[in-house]
Amino acid sequence: MIQAHIPDRVLDNARDRQRTVEPELTEAEAKRIARGLREGIDHLPEKEYREQLHQRLREFASAQDVDLPSPDTRSTFWSYRLEDHPQINSEPGEELHSMHMAAAYTEAQNSIVQDTLRYLEGTPGGEALGRLHLWDTEMQDALDLDEKAGLSLAYEAWGTLSEKYAAKTENEALFFMGELNPGTVAYQTESRQLRQDGKLDIIQFMYPAPAQKYADLAPETQELMASQAVRAQVHTFWYDESDPKYTPLTKAGHLDLKELAALPTPEAQRAAVLEVCARVATMDGPARAADVEKLIEEIKVLRPDHEVTLPSVEDQQWAAGLRSPEKDSPAGPPPVAVSTHGQYLPGVTVNARTGPAPLEALTLPATGAAATQAHSFLPGVTPQAKPVVAPNRTDTPTAPPKAPPAPEQSNDTGMGV
């Protein structure tokens, strides 16, 4: 459930923020701001002008200050809105944008102890980017952009700043959302940045998981889906590959709940969830290679005859392009796609009915007694004295599952996140 109590005064603050109407950006002010952004490039052909404008905004966002005001400061993240929260005294059907909830909660925490918490829009960098009014139609007109191009520019600029904000996060990351949606910066940029920086364990969701979605799953699977780590990696939304916000990470992190519910046992359902986590961990890069190995080990105990398919080489190369070179250099290039079908642990017989134990790094022994000692931590595993053959790491993966045909609604606020 919710990770911290939200007093009514915080809720009232969020309501006030949402009701506050910002002064409309005047045409003259929009032209003044646009003049600085267009300087030196407004004479270029349309395509080149837009490319240069995007580059200019990326550089501007990258240069902004989103440093922690204190070494102990925690960070908030948000997307979409809060509706009918079971633990908050909201009105039936009331919709509160999570941006205002995060801001109000931050203000309340900092009134007790200064610099306890921060939110992106309240950082010096967030305030500077906000003063450009990139979401405003008047600004888009002043930049000579149609709505689609204007929103794309705003989304990219704020995504660049969000990535830096997440990279600067060192302490608890409070996510004001019930689940990650693949069309949001929270999924495509912020949570990804935290995961690939080894900070998966600091992500905490402030809203409860959408339990109604999981009603057809085994109780053990419902508990797994509500865990912080799974929520920080997996999404259950339908997606369209023609959507401009679609990326290979969208495909890698998708879990089809109908297919999951159709699996016959809790063990098979757990394995399916962990397989999506393994795909996401693979996309996160070399820093999570050990997580991929552990997840695959557990999956093959749960479903020994199941083929685990990781993202393609092309998708991994796309993901590698999002990371700075120095992040990949210590561990070498991104791992190649691998299929784990076939013999998993040579020399052992696996009983998939036995639940998995926490797994440590695995070093395959030679034969005999050494095998007995090495595999004693795996319940349901009976060692056999057979020669060890290293698993083939170069199999060609099967095609990833297709997105389901029926869409789920996402509550998009239209603010690009």
Side-chain angles (χ1 to χ4, degrees), residues 19-37:
R19 284 194 292 261
T20 300
V21 179
E22 296 291 335
E24 288 189 11
L25 182 67
T26 65
E27 183 179 352
E29 181 65 7
K31 288 182 177 180
R32 183 192 66 79
I33 298 171
R35 193 178 304 118
L37 295 176

Side-chain angles (χ1 to χ4, degrees), residues 19 30 57 81 96 102 116 121 126 135 237 271 293 305 307 326 331 339 343 346 371 380 410 412:
R19 284 194 292 261
L57 266 297
R81 58 197 179 205
L96 283 170
T116 294
E121 291 76 11
W135 299 113
F237 290 88
E293 293 299 326
D305 297 325
E307 181 175 359
E326 58 270 19
S339 166
Q343 192 170 12
S410 68
D412 195 340

Side-chain angles (χ1 to χ4, degrees), residues 245-268:
K245 293 183 180 179
Y246 167 83
T247 71
L249 179 59
T250 305
K251 176 175 63 179
H254 178 254
L255 179 65
D256 188 311
L257 289 177
K258 289 184 178 180
E259 292 182 2
L260 182 64
L263 294 175
T265 65
E267 291 81 9

Side-chain angles (χ1 to χ4, degrees), residues 315-338:
D315 285 353
Q316 291 184 62
Q317 289 173 341
W318 170 88
L322 301 178
R323 301 187 295 270
S324 57
E326 58 270 19
K327 286 181 180 177
D328 284 350
S329 57
V336 297
V338 1

Side-chain angles (χ1 to χ4, degrees), residues 130-397:
R131 286 192 290 269
L132 298 184
H133 300 277
L134 296 178
W135 299 113
D136 198 297
T137 55
E138 288 286 352
M139 176 54 60
Q140 294 165 7
D141 291 342
L143 291 172
D144 197 24
L145 301 174
D146 57 26
E147 182 181 13
K148 181 178 179 181
L151 291 177
S152 174
L153 179 68
Y155 187 88
E156 183 177 31
W158 279 99
T160 300
L161 189 67
S162 295
E163 184 173 36
K164 184 176 181 180
Y165 176 82
K168 294 287 186 177
T169 296
E170 296 294 339
N171 305 299
E172 193 173 35
L174 305 181
F175 274 57
F176 280 79
M177 59 199 76
E179 58 184 325
L180 290 172
N181 184 297
T184 64
V185 170
Y187 186 78
Q188 295 290 343
T189 300
E190 293 167 339
S191 61
R192 171 184 57 78
Q193 182 70 49
L194 290 168
R195 292 193 311 266
Q196 68 186 34
D197 286 347
K199 300 171 185 174
L200 173 64
D201 60 341
I202 73 172
I203 297 177
Q204 299 290 325
F205 286 82
M206 292 295 285
Y207 303 160
Q212 71 281 1
K213 275 190 170 185
Y214 312 146
D216 294 333
L217 305 176
E220 300 93 328
T221 310
Q222 294 183 38
E223 183 177 0
L224 177 64
M225 291 293 295
S227 69
Q228 301 293 321
V230 170
R231 294 168 73 185
Q233 301 180 82
V234 171
H235 79 84
T236 61
F237 290 88
W238 174 88
Y239 61 89
D240 181 356
E241 293 193 10
S242 65
D243 189 312
K245 293 183 180 179
Y246 167 83
T247 71
L249 179 59
T250 305
K251 176 175 63 179
H254 178 254
L255 179 65
D256 188 311
L257 289 177
K258 289 184 178 180
E259 292 182 2
L260 182 64
L263 294 175
T265 65
E267 291 81 9
Q269 291 183 4
R270 178 180 178 85
V273 175
L274 296 186
E275 182 170 350
V276 178
C277 292
R279 294 203 300 263
V280 171
T282 301
M283 296 289 278
D284 288 340
R288 298 198 63 203
D291 291 343
V292 176
E293 293 299 326
K294 288 181 180 180
L295 287 165
I296 291 176
E297 288 170 6
E298 183 171 349
I299 293 165
K300 295 308 294 182
V301 172
L302 294 165
R303 299 178 74 184
D305 297 325
H306 174 70
E307 181 175 359
V308 179
T309 303
L310 299 184
S312 67
V313 173
E314 292 76 14
D315 285 353
Q316 291 184 62
Q317 289 173 341
W318 170 88
L322 301 178
R323 301 187 295 270
S324 57
E326 58 270 19
K327 286 181 180 177
D328 284 350
S329 57
V336 297
V338 1
S339 166
T340 60
H341 183 66
Q343 192 170 12
Y344 165 59
L345 293 177
V348 302
T349 300
V350 177
N351 177 4
R353 294 180 177 274
T354 306
L359 299 176
E360 303 298 331
L362 178 64
T363 302
L364 295 179
T367 56
T372 304
Q373 181 179 5
H375 296 293
S376 61
F377 67 93
L378 284 174
V381 173
T382 305
Q384 301 171 356
K386 293 182 180 180
V388 175
V389 180
N392 186 350
R393 308 293 294 178
T394 60
D395 294 347
T396 302

